[in-house]
Amino acid sequence: MLFHSTRGKDSHKSFKEIAIQGLASDGGLYVPDYWPEIDLDKVKNCKTYGEIAKLVLPAFADGSYEEAEITSMVDEIWQGFPSRELVQFRKFNNFAVAELFHGPTAAFKDFGLQMVSYFLHRILKESNKHGVILGATSGDTGSAAIHACKGYSNIKTFILLPEGNMSEIQRRQMSTVDQENVFAIKVNGTFDDCQDIVKEAFKTDQYLPNNFTLLAVNSINWLRIIAQICYYFFAYASLNTTKSLCFSVPSGNFGNVFSAYSAYKMGLPIKEICVAVNSNDILHRFFSNNDYSKQPTVSTISPSMDISVASNFERLVYDYYLDRDANRCRELFNAFNSNQLQLDPEIFENKLNLFSSLAVSDSETKNIINYFFKEHEYILDPHSAIACKRALEESNSYVIGMATAHPDKFPTLFNSLNIQITDHHPALKGLKDKEERLVVLPCEYSAIRDFIRNSL
Ligand SMILES: *Cc1c(COP(=O)(O)O)cnc(C)c1O
């Protein structure tokens, strides 16, 4: 299997190469040269997420790793889940919730980032190199990266934390990890300031010693998509319904939705993928009205979905709407330049049957949480509640709401709703009593660069 860019100027890349590189050199995103088919009869016999991963991973790693090699790695990749079953399902009358939040940081990002860090560690080790991960976070990505990398001594992780909307729990998840190779760095700037520093740092890695490689942790790394594809197949194997399937996905950067779409392209019979967003509704405006235009981000009670553009969306435009016309895709995204994109209306109209979308305000999100609590004695976190709105609407399909975070991450919200969380997430217990290890630095590129250099 080889990979190429959605913008057509970077191709013939192996699994190992795209694991390290992330973004393609022409500014596009890597996609596989073809969609591998997964045998549904084999899927049906799978009892665990790991068994599914043994069917899915070899198809993408082919050429970099032998099948036997990669299947033996599967048992090592995902760690720190309290039970052997990584995904759990809650079944209701005519819908289900797929709980993706049992990992060590209580959000679904553990799936993707544990996959990425496992392979980064291996690939660096093979070439006697060390990795420096640098990223900025306003929520879950940073803690998933810190927790995924902390056990790998050849990777040092530096995460910049901006001022602002981050909850105390989210901060503590990063600042209380007592490991030499991870650094949570608080800076007195906004998320955008932090992003600017990261961009500056990536322009050159000359400031690092020779055997160090600078690595990004962003949502466009294809390995994250692979890890997420597995749980869509696993839902199919576990829920075993005769009805057609509708997955409803709380969406921000569109990685999780694109994983559902990938599973569809690999043979999973999905009838509908519902793209569920908060008031940051660029994706809803696109799917309902062919209007993909950037607007300022607003802060909501589902902060991990507060985005103004969706970085994985280009993959869908390329594969689904443009039938892999890389020249057209390059034109569209060069012209978009983070402002506005509209597809040829005929193309848009022809592709109306797979995706649906909905946008949910904060007050409606609270209503949905209250409704599920009263009606089903089930507590949804605000991100998952947005997706589960689809389960309350008319449908001939079996709706599966993807639950991406554990409610324990949002104690202030649940206090204000007078909802007592009884089923606590084991990894979040005692977080309040742990000592914080925060580095505080000025919000300046040179300060961050020097700190990194001195910490290697
Ligand atoms: C990151 C995140 C999302 C959005 O996922 P994307 O793949 O970026 O669309 C949704 N919910 C939670 C809890 C998240 O952390």
Side-chain angles (χ1 to χ4, degrees):
M1 171 67 78
L2 292 172
F3 299 82
H4 65 272
S5 164
T6 49
R7 299 193 190 176
K9 307 255 176 199
D10 183 0
S11 60
H12 295 92
K13 289 286 164 76
S14 69
F15 175 89
K16 284 187 187 176
E17 286 171 308
I18 62 158
I20 296 277
Q21 200 177 327
L23 193 70
S25 57
D26 59 1
L29 308 186
Y30 288 119
V31 289
D33 282 359
Y34 63 92
W35 291 108
E37 286 271 332
I38 300 296
D39 183 342
L40 283 183
D41 287 326
K42 286 191 186 156
V43 168
K44 281 180 193 150
N45 290 327
C46 288
K47 300 271 182 299
T48 63
Y49 172 89
E51 286 174 39
I52 299 275
K54 288 178 187 179
L55 297 177
V56 172
L57 268 58
F60 290 109
D62 182 34
S64 283
Y65 295 101
E66 301 289 332
E67 179 165 353
E69 220 178 341
I70 196 111
T71 51
S72 75
M73 293 176 196
V74 163
D75 298 322
E76 302 171 350
I77 297 174
W78 292 284
Q79 304 282 340
F81 287 71
S83 101
R84 237 174 61 79
E85 197 33 78
L86 310 189
V87 182
Q88 289 173 27
F89 296 95
R90 241 342 158 93
K91 294 184 201 172
F92 300 90
N93 273 342
N94 52 355
F95 67 94
V97 173
E99 297 180 347
L100 307 173
F101 51 66
H102 293 288
T105 70
F108 86 106
K109 291 197 171 68
D110 288 327
F111 283 93
L113 285 162
Q114 291 198 8
M115 170 99 183
V116 174
S117 62
Y118 179 86
F119 284 99
L120 290 182
H121 157 77
R122 271 194 94 96
I123 296 164
L124 290 167
K125 215 168 124 191
E126 285 166 16
S127 53
N128 268 322
K129 286 211 151 206
H130 292 260
V132 170
I133 286 181
L134 174 62
T137 191
S138 55
D140 293 332
T141 308
S143 57
I146 283 179
H147 284 264
C149 296
K150 66 181 182 191
Y152 298 128
S153 56
N154 61 346
I155 301 177
K156 291 207 157 128
T157 307
F158 300 85
I159 300 291
L160 307 184
L161 320 194
E163 318 231 271
N165 202 20
M166 191 180 307
S167 75
E168 182 184 348
I169 296 213
Q170 285 178 313
R171 188 190 71 236
R172 285 183 164 272
Q173 282 185 297
M174 292 182 262
S175 61
T176 60
V177 175
D178 189 17
Q179 295 277 343
E180 303 254 301
N181 60 339
V182 304
F183 303 87
I185 304 172
K186 179 108 191 95
V187 295
N188 58 339
T190 63
F191 179 63
D192 287 338
D193 296 334
C194 292
Q195 290 280 54
D196 289 343
I197 294 176
V198 171
K199 270 189 207 145
E200 190 64 35
F202 272 87
K203 281 188 185 156
T204 166
D205 63 359
Q206 292 292 309
Y207 55 91
L208 297 178
N210 264 338
N211 56 338
F212 278 82
T213 304
L214 190 59
L215 303 162
V217 275
N218 40 37
S219 65
I220 50 87
N221 193 303
W222 182 261
L223 272 60
R224 285 174 72 164
I225 306 283
I226 300 175
Q228 293 164 189
I229 289 171
C230 299
Y231 51 63
Y232 290 98
F233 280 103
F234 185 47
Y236 171 78
S238 304
L239 294 167
N240 193 20
T241 169
T242 51
K243 286 183 152 187
S244 50
L245 295 181
C246 164
F247 287 100
S248 188
V249 189
S251 303
N253 273 317
F254 207 69
N256 208 359
V257 177
F258 194 79
S259 308
Y261 171 77
S262 303
Y264 165 81
K265 295 297 283 187
M266 293 163 72
L268 185 65
I270 300 179
K271 177 149 177 266
E272 176 186 338
I273 300 172
C274 177
V275 181
V277 301
N278 63 26
S279 319
N280 297 286
D281 63 352
I282 183 168
L283 288 166
H284 176 58
R285 282 182 283 117
F286 173 76
F287 285 105
S288 55
N289 203 21
N290 192 9
D291 166 26
Y292 189 79
S293 56
K294 186 177 173 170
Q295 285 181 2
T297 318
V298 294
S299 291
T300 69
I301 57 169
S302 44
S304 301
M305 290 151 69
D306 293 350
I307 50 93
S308 56
V309 292
S311 49
N312 277 282
F313 181 63
E314 182 171 337
R315 287 189 164 120
L316 191 77
V317 171
Y318 172 72
D319 192 79
Y320 184 61
Y321 291 102
L322 300 179
D323 287 325
R324 298 199 160 208
D325 180 342
N327 290 330
R328 186 78 190 108
C329 190
R330 186 174 60 246
E331 276 166 24
L332 272 176
F333 278 89
N334 281 342
F336 174 63
N337 204 11
S338 64
N339 280 318
Q340 188 176 19
L341 181 153
Q342 202 173 23
L343 294 177
D344 185 334
E346 207 173 313
I347 293 179
F348 182 78
E349 298 293 329
N350 276 338
K351 300 274 188 181
L352 277 179
N353 41 22
L354 181 59
F355 290 95
S356 64
S357 68
L358 50 87
V360 181
S361 68
D362 277 359
S363 65
E364 198 185 349
T365 306
K366 291 178 191 169
N367 290 342
I368 298 167
I369 294 172
N370 278 323
Y371 176 85
F372 270 84
F373 183 60
K374 292 213 177 74
E375 215 53 38
H376 300 292
E377 290 179 34
Y378 186 69
I379 305 178
L380 287 166
D381 100 284
H383 305 80
S384 315
I386 288 172
C388 287
K389 180 181 179 189
R390 184 68 189 86
L392 307 177
E393 294 175 341
E394 218 28 50
S395 178
N396 295 322
S397 304
Y398 190 80
V399 176
I400 301 158
M402 306 312 275
T404 49
H406 191 285
D408 252 354
K409 294 187 95 162
F410 308 94
T412 318
L413 173 70
F414 287 98
N415 271 342
S416 75
L417 293 174
N418 262 323
I419 293 176
Q420 283 266 328
I421 299 170
T422 46
D423 232 350
H424 291 293
H425 193 293
L428 301 181
K429 278 182 195 156
L431 213 52
K432 276 232 151 81
D433 308 319
K434 286 193 186 159
E435 197 184 327
E436 287 199 84
R437 232 178 106 237
L438 266 178
V439 182
V440 181
L441 288 176
C443 191
E444 284 161 20
Y445 164 65
S446 57
I448 305 295
R449 179 201 59 203
D450 292 346
F451 178 77
I452 293 175
R453 202 160 42 189
N454 294 329
S455 308
L456 300 180

